């Protein structure tokens, strides 16, 4: 086609005074090389082969899962999203408090602290002093007798830690029940101690729980495996604990529990079901739910019964947490013990009546919606939650005024 286009351009460009004999004529007996050689003298640079950059359509870049929100308008709940923002705001406070509490005399050299950005929760490449100065009522920097700078807790924070210790002691029996229920939900009735330790803040379990469980030989047994890993095993099954929060709620409000989950059944249009009949059919398919304390490993992985089990298990798992919510890394850590699959994210998205997924696709958090009011405030607050909220209030204060209620729970 290009050759014929050039031929047409050539023929139209010939001036009127040119001789007919100069025109190129198509001779059936001429070879193709003779035909093409006639056009080699012409340039093809005037032909536009590409669309200019300024006229090209700009392709919208695909948003990264690291920044793409799980929810979109109008489904975004600002109250739940703000809770995650609060977690980010107090990440340094939470992680540094935990790390510093385990150090001798609750102190740490400032030079060492600057190298522990991951353990203390401050941005890499930033100075730790900037993060410490955000909470002057909690942390202090001082010069030791050796001439080096050290960081530690203020006297006010030390008194708050004593208060938290009292809360931990008062709630010990409840935390023991939480660990027992976690073991009862697990596949083999055993969980690595390290996994419970990593998620202890989620359930309000004290830092020294590995030493405390020795007092409860009737409930737990610690086994050291060949690789040196310590595993906690359930000693006795307690049927009174094997009752889920959904089952308890069913006794109070049956209709509410029936509407908690939805497992729609696929049917053809030929049935011509109205909205009421379709709701009844789905309800028959949804109920009964599967107890999270049953053996989920015996269920076929991709059946509706197995999905009911996993949904109910995550509901029970969240009900055991302090704030009735958990991040993805909290849930994934127990993936093997709870027979979860890699499709947990999609599974929870299909149950918007009960669960709300906040945050980004890479780091999302799941909330139990019924545990919060319309204003996004937790309805029933554990004493540890009340203490944490008090700590957050004082952490943002520049100067703490003496008050008698500071030391009350």
């Amino acid at each position: 086609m290009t050759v014929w286009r050039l031929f047409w351009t050539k023929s139209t460009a010939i001036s009127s005074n040119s001789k007919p004999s100069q025109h190129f004529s198509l001779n059936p007996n001429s070879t193709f090389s003779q035909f093409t050689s006639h056009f080699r003298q012409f340039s093809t640079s005037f032909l536009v082969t590409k669309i200019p950059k300024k006229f090209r359509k700009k392709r919208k870049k695909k948003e990264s899962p690291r920044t793409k929100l799980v929810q979109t308008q109008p489904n975004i709940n600002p109250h739940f999203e703000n809770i995650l923002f609060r977690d980010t705001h107090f990440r340094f406070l939470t992680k540094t408090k935990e790390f510093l509490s385990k150090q001798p005399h609750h102190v740490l050299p400032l030079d060492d602290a600057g190298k522990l950005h991951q353990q203390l929760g401050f941005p890499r490449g930033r100075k730790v002093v900037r993060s410490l100065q955000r909470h002057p009522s909690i942390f202090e920097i001082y010069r030791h007798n050796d001439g080096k700078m050290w960081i530690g807790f203020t006297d006010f924070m030390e008194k708050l830690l004593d208060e938290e210790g009292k809360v931990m002691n008062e709630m010990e029996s409840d935390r023991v029940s939480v660990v027992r229920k976690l073991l009862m939900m697990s596949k083999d009735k055993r969980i690595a101690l390290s996994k419970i330790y990593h998620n202890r803040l989620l359930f309000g379990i004290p830092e020294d729980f590995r030493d405390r469980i020795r007092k409860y030989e009737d409930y737990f047994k610690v086994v050291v495996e060949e690789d040196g890993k310590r595993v906690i095993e359930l000693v006795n099954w307690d049927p009174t604990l094997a009752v889920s929060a959904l089952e308890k709620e069913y006794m109070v409000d049956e209709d509410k529990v029936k509407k908690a989950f939805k497992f729609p059944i696929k049917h053809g249009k030929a049935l011509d079901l109205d909205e009421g009949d379709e709701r009844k059919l789905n309800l028959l398919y949804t109920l009964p739910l599967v107890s999270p304390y049953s053996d989920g490993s015996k269920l076929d992985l991709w059946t509706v019964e197995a999905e009911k089990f996993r949904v109910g298990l995550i509901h029970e798992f969240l009900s055991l947490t302090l704030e009735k919510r958990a991040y993805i890394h909290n849930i994934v850590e127990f993936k093997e013990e709870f027979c979860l699959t890699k499709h947990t994210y999609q599974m929870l998205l299909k149950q918007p009546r009960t669960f709300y997924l906040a945050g980004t696709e890479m780091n999302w958090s799941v909330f139990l919606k019924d545990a919060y009011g319309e204003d996004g405030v937790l309805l029933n607050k554990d004493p540890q939650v009340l203490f944490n909220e008090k700590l957050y209030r004082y952490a943002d204060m520049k100067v703490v005024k003496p008050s008698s209620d500071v030391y009350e729970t």
Side-chain angles (χ1 to χ4, degrees):
M1 292 299 295
T2 303
V3 174
W4 288 106
R5 191 181 297 115
L6 290 174
F7 172 74
W8 176 258
T9 304
K10 165 64 181 172
S11 62
T12 56
I14 298 176
S15 59
S16 57
N17 57 359
S18 58
K19 295 180 181 181
S21 60
Q22 294 177 339
H23 286 225
F24 179 80
S25 59
L26 287 174
N27 186 359
N29 298 325
S30 62
T31 63
F32 182 77
S33 59
Q34 293 175 339
F35 177 78
T36 55
S37 63
H38 181 76
F39 297 99
R40 288 177 184 172
Q41 57 182 314
F42 299 104
S43 173
T44 60
S45 60
F46 66 91
L47 295 176
V48 178
T49 56
K50 291 184 178 180
I51 300 176
K53 190 173 183 180
K54 62 180 180 180
F55 294 119
R56 294 179 197 170
K57 280 188 177 182
K58 293 183 179 180
R59 292 183 179 180
K60 189 176 180 180
K61 290 185 178 180
K62 189 176 181 180
E63 195 170 358
S64 169
R66 190 182 297 274
T67 58
K68 185 178 180 181
L69 295 177
V70 175
Q71 303 292 343
T72 57
Q73 292 290 358
N75 299 322
I76 291 180
N77 187 319
H79 301 300
F80 291 147
E81 302 293 343
N82 287 337
I83 291 176
L84 300 192
F85 178 78
R86 184 198 67 184
D87 290 347
T88 303
H89 179 70
F90 290 113
R91 179 183 292 119
F92 175 79
L93 170 68
T94 304
K95 300 192 75 169
T96 303
K97 168 180 167 288
E98 287 297 310
F99 188 86
L100 209 55
S101 298
K102 293 182 285 186
Q103 303 304 310
H105 307 293
H106 296 170
V107 294
L108 183 70
L110 183 60
D111 291 341
D112 294 346
K115 304 172 184 176
L116 302 173
H117 64 92
Q118 188 172 5
Q119 291 84 346
L120 301 184
F122 64 93
R124 185 175 185 177
R126 301 284 183 89
K127 292 184 177 181
V128 66
V129 175
R130 295 182 59 183
S131 298
L132 291 168
Q133 290 174 343
R134 286 167 45 198
H135 311 294
S137 61
I138 306 298
F139 307 110
E140 64 178 358
I141 306 173
Y142 65 96
R143 187 177 297 277
H144 198 261
N145 296 334
D146 57 5
K148 296 182 179 180
M149 302 299 294
W150 290 63
I151 65 173
F153 293 126
T154 62
D155 293 339
F156 175 76
M157 181 58 184
E158 291 287 358
K159 293 176 181 178
L160 285 178
L161 290 177
D162 292 339
E163 177 187 336
E164 184 180 27
K166 294 178 182 178
V167 173
M168 292 287 188
N169 293 333
E170 293 172 359
M171 301 301 297
E172 182 173 321
S173 60
D174 289 352
R175 308 308 184 224
V176 169
S177 297
V178 168
V179 176
R180 293 177 68 190
K181 290 173 78 72
L182 289 174
L183 289 172
M184 292 170 67
M185 286 193 297
S186 62
K187 179 176 60 174
D188 299 319
K189 310 302 178 275
R190 62 201 307 265
I191 300 175
L193 268 174
S194 59
K195 294 188 177 183
I196 297 179
Y197 180 79
H198 293 159
N199 296 276
R200 66 188 184 281
L201 297 181
L202 190 68
F203 304 102
I205 297 173
E207 198 275 335
D208 61 344
F209 89 99
R210 289 175 289 191
D211 299 325
R212 298 194 185 203
I213 58 177
R214 296 173 183 173
K215 300 186 296 182
Y216 302 95
E217 296 180 352
D218 295 338
Y219 300 152
F220 311 118
K221 180 175 65 174
V222 178
V223 179
V224 180
E225 297 186 338
E226 294 180 357
D227 57 357
K229 183 171 66 174
R230 299 173 66 192
V231 177
I232 182 172
E233 296 182 350
L234 184 70
V235 174
N236 293 317
W237 179 275
D238 189 348
T240 60
L241 290 178
V243 181
S244 66
L246 274 175
E247 291 176 285
K248 294 177 182 178
E249 192 174 357
Y250 186 82
M251 302 299 293
V252 179
D253 193 344
E254 181 178 337
D255 293 334
K256 183 179 179 181
V257 176
K258 286 182 178 179
K259 298 176 182 178
F261 302 110
K262 184 179 180 181
F263 296 92
I265 184 173
K266 295 180 180 180
H267 58 81
K269 294 183 179 180
L271 291 178
D272 194 20
L273 299 177
D274 58 21
E275 185 177 350
D277 292 337
E278 187 174 351
R279 191 185 308 112
K280 292 178 182 178
L281 184 62
N282 290 335
L283 186 62
L284 289 173
Y285 198 57
T286 301
L287 298 177
L289 298 174
V290 180
S291 172
Y293 295 98
S294 59
D295 190 355
S297 61
K298 295 181 179 179
L299 299 173
D300 292 336
L301 194 59
W302 305 115
T303 60
V304 176
E305 295 299 314
E307 186 170 347
K308 289 181 183 179
F309 166 78
R310 292 191 290 269
V311 167
L313 187 143
I314 291 181
H315 185 284
E316 183 70 2
F317 179 85
L318 296 176
S319 68
L320 297 177
T321 62
L322 292 178
E323 299 187 32
K324 315 307 176 192
R325 64 185 180 97
Y327 280 92
I328 175 178
H329 60 265
N330 300 127
I331 297 174
V332 169
E333 189 134 21
F334 298 97
K335 178 182 177 181
E336 295 180 2
E337 288 81 0
F338 294 158
C339 304
L340 300 176
T341 68
K342 63 180 181 180
H343 301 291
T344 301
Y345 172 77
Q346 289 80 4
M347 180 185 72
L348 295 177
L349 280 178
K350 293 190 295 183
Q351 305 296 340
R353 298 178 181 177
T354 301
F355 303 118
Y356 179 88
L357 272 66
T360 62
E361 291 183 352
M362 182 171 287
N363 187 29
W364 50 267
S365 179
V366 56
F367 289 76
L368 274 184
K369 296 173 68 173
D370 290 342
Y372 290 81
E374 294 182 358
D375 55 355
V377 177
L378 198 61
L379 298 178
N380 299 315
K381 295 184 179 181
D382 186 272
Q384 183 65 45
V385 175
L386 295 174
F387 173 83
N388 292 341
E389 291 179 348
K390 181 191 294 187
L391 177 63
Y392 296 154
R393 289 197 301 270
Y394 289 127
D396 278 342
M397 291 183 182
K398 300 302 179 183
V399 179
V400 179
K401 297 179 180 180
S403 176
S404 59
D405 66 338
V406 171
Y407 311 110
E408 297 177 4
T409 304

